[in-house]
Amino acid sequence: MRSIPGWSAQPLAGVLTRVVWGLWALGALGCGPTVEPEDALDAQSHPFVPLWPEGDFSARVTRYDYDFATQTGEAKSTLYLDVAPPGGDCFVVNAPQGITGLRWNDAEPTRSESTEQGIRVCGRGQFAGQVKLEARYTVPLETYDFTQVGFSRRADRGGNTFSYLLSWVESCDRFGPCDDRTDQLTQYVFTVKHATGERVLCPGQLTRPDSTTTKCTLTGLTKAPTYSSFAVASNPAWRSSTFTEQSSKFKVVFHEVAGGKLASSLVAADVKAYLNWVIGELGPLPYGTELRVAGAPTEWLGVEHPANLILREDLPDLRRDYANMTMHTLMHEVVHQWAGNRTTLSSPFDFVWKEAIAEYLTYRYERLGRPAGEAEQTRAYWDRLARTAAYYPQPEDDPAPVFLSFASDVYGTGPMLLFLQLEPLLGENIVLQAIKNFLSVPGDRSVADLRVALEQASGEDLGPYFDAWVYGGGDPDWPFFEVSHALEDGELTLTAVQRSVSGTRYPVSVDVLVEGATERRLVTLNYGLSPQSDTLSVTVPFPEPVVQVTVDPENRVVNRRFLGLDAEPAPARWLF
């Protein structure tokens, strides 16, 4: 137990000592000497200490109770605060302008004021324990930063109204008082009032007490972050149906309008096989066995919420950046139940590991259990995105990049630099084991923590690799490779030279495809984890003249090829 400055190490005894001293000083005890003895406390050097602490206190929000009306946007927020010693009488929290109805432990606050962060609310102070903070707010019907984040209503493909209260990284304070730090995991109770017959989804275990109320509770041991948990989605035309299930492990329930294409574009046996695989790798679904999947007119391909996935309703009709847009997106969002929800981000710019893990594990299953060509197309799409990336996965720019721009930039570089390029350097199974270790315990994790997990699983020092590929400022200075060849007496020598603006020696293993008139051979040029030179030569048998040499034919390495040699990707439609 921490002692309170100026108080006894025994808090209760300290309180009693101060109370007794204060009463004695006021003559309230009615006995004792009327003249201070020489060894009495000097009132000048030992001023009276208030019974209740004052000033701003630190606290962790242990639970949010959020009441929301889909028809009006009216909301009531209740925050349960775990006050940290030495306590205080005021709490500062992010909040929108226009908060009303403030309550502090069921009483009027002593004062409140706006701050740069949001609001400061004050009430009766305390040294530790719980404070219940309540507020009311009408959420405006608007979205922010060219995204769907906020509160919106849109017509779906059938002309029905889809309503969506959508949070994101550092955005939950748009809906009421909220600690929007990404590293916070907490509990929630959502009570949603809606029109009769309106079908509502929200995070956690869902019940419908009556025809105009939907309640979702996420109060178990597995907590969740605010950026994905503040979410209410509704559509009066949704119809629910069980898509696939396996006793005690999962039940997938689709919510689509009549004629919806998502469920019909998937094969139930395929989804069931995938869920069995990913649960086998990462453990039980974190937020209960029911996984609700809804189709909606969203901008992003998919968004993960605890126990809910919202997928773009026209996924089957989009250009096929991934070989199977619907299945890939579904698999990606399922991974986020562990990677991004149960395990959250230490800071916003750790966003890259969340998306990298979701993409990489989806790709791993495409290699393992999906038709030939799906994984290869995923790699090709990553490579095209990475080639035009504007930021390093951990940008060191000053000022920092606009987060939205950075977030849209990681879907190629993330899985390739953090995992795919490490496969030949560490081993595929070691990379997978590192991910499993990284996600094994709920909490917040950083990119630095991911490096530690990879090092512990492999026994290798990845400092040079992360310094070269992951951290940096300005335009990424990733390499391209100049490869020459010489053939003599059936022996082919390939010589590769790394080229980059900075002259950095990149730890990497790059494949080169050599083709003759009738022969093909894939040659690996492995610079290792601590390259001593930018030049590497390898000699292999090859029986005929070389017709063509292709560097990285399978799209496994991020490299700056000359623009124009390959078609550049269209702007990304993001997965979250």
Side-chain angles (χ1 to χ4, degrees), residues 95-365:
Q97 296 295 316
I99 291 292
T100 63
L102 287 168
R103 304 283 291 173
W104 178 284
N105 282 342
D106 298 317
E108 292 286 336
T110 56
R111 65 188 187 278
S112 62
E113 59 188 358
S114 297
T115 70
E116 290 185 4
Q117 291 177 266
I119 56 171
R120 173 182 283 106
V121 187
C122 304
R124 184 175 180 175
Q126 62 186 74
F127 300 103
Q130 289 281 330
V131 165
K132 183 172 75 170
L133 176 64
E134 299 173 78
R136 294 183 181 274
Y137 180 63
T138 299
V139 181
L141 195 63
E142 61 181 336
T143 56
Y144 307 91
D145 300 327
F146 309 102
T147 71
Q148 208 166 349
V149 174
F151 180 37
S152 61
R153 296 192 183 106
R154 294 185 176 185
D156 66 16
R157 56 185 315 221
N160 313 289
T161 299
F162 167 68
S163 301
Y164 203 11
L165 183 82
L166 173 64
S167 183
W168 198 42
V169 174
E170 296 187 323
S171 297
C172 65
D173 55 313
R174 299 190 183 280
F175 311 130
C178 186
D179 184 345
D180 66 2
R181 292 175 294 172
T182 58
D183 64 344
Q184 300 297 293
L185 294 170
T186 188
Q187 299 178 328
Y188 307 85
V189 175
F190 293 93
T191 302
V192 184
K193 301 300 290 185
H194 50 79
T196 301
E198 187 175 359
R199 307 295 289 182
V200 172
L201 298 179
C202 42
Q205 295 183 345
L206 187 149
T207 58
R208 295 186 173 89
D210 56 60
S211 62
T212 62
T213 306
T214 298
K215 188 170 185 177
C216 293
T217 57
L218 204 164
T219 56
L221 295 177
T222 304
K223 301 173 184 178
T226 59
Y227 60 78
S228 63
S229 297
F230 270 89
V232 176
S234 70
N235 191 328
W238 273 340
R239 297 295 178 265
S240 62
S241 61
T242 299
F243 184 74
T244 186
E245 61 183 315
Q246 184 153 324
S247 177
S248 77
K249 294 180 71 173
F250 57 81
K251 178 181 180 181
V252 179
V253 179
F254 263 82
H255 297 258
E256 286 196 274
V257 300
K261 294 185 175 182
L262 295 177
S264 62
S265 71
L266 296 166
V267 177
D270 292 347
V271 174
K272 186 173 186 178
Y274 166 71
L275 285 169
N276 275 306
W277 176 80
V278 73
I279 289 171
E281 297 293 344
L282 301 180
L285 285 167
Y287 302 104
T289 57
E290 182 173 277
L291 186 64
R292 300 180 287 272
V293 183
T298 57
E299 294 177 11
W300 297 334
L301 299 185
V303 188
E304 81 278 8
H305 307 297
N308 298 274
L309 312 179
I310 308 296
L311 304 186
R312 183 165 159 168
E313 63 181 1
D314 62 350
L315 274 173
D317 300 327
L318 297 180
R319 188 190 73 185
R320 296 189 176 277
D321 295 322
Y322 303 104
N324 187 319
M325 293 291 287
T326 309
M327 186 65 180
H328 184 101
T329 303
L330 175 71
M331 293 191 292
H332 175 110
E333 301 304 337
V334 167
V335 174
H336 280 317
Q337 297 298 298
W338 297 270
N341 281 343
R342 188 182 72 170
T343 302
T344 187
L345 313 175
S346 294
S347 71
F349 282 90
D350 291 311
F351 184 85
V352 61
W353 74 248
K354 171 174 94 79
E355 301 306 324
I357 289 178
E359 276 293 276
Y360 179 74
L361 291 185
T362 298
Y363 159 76
R364 286 288 297 247
Y365 187 75

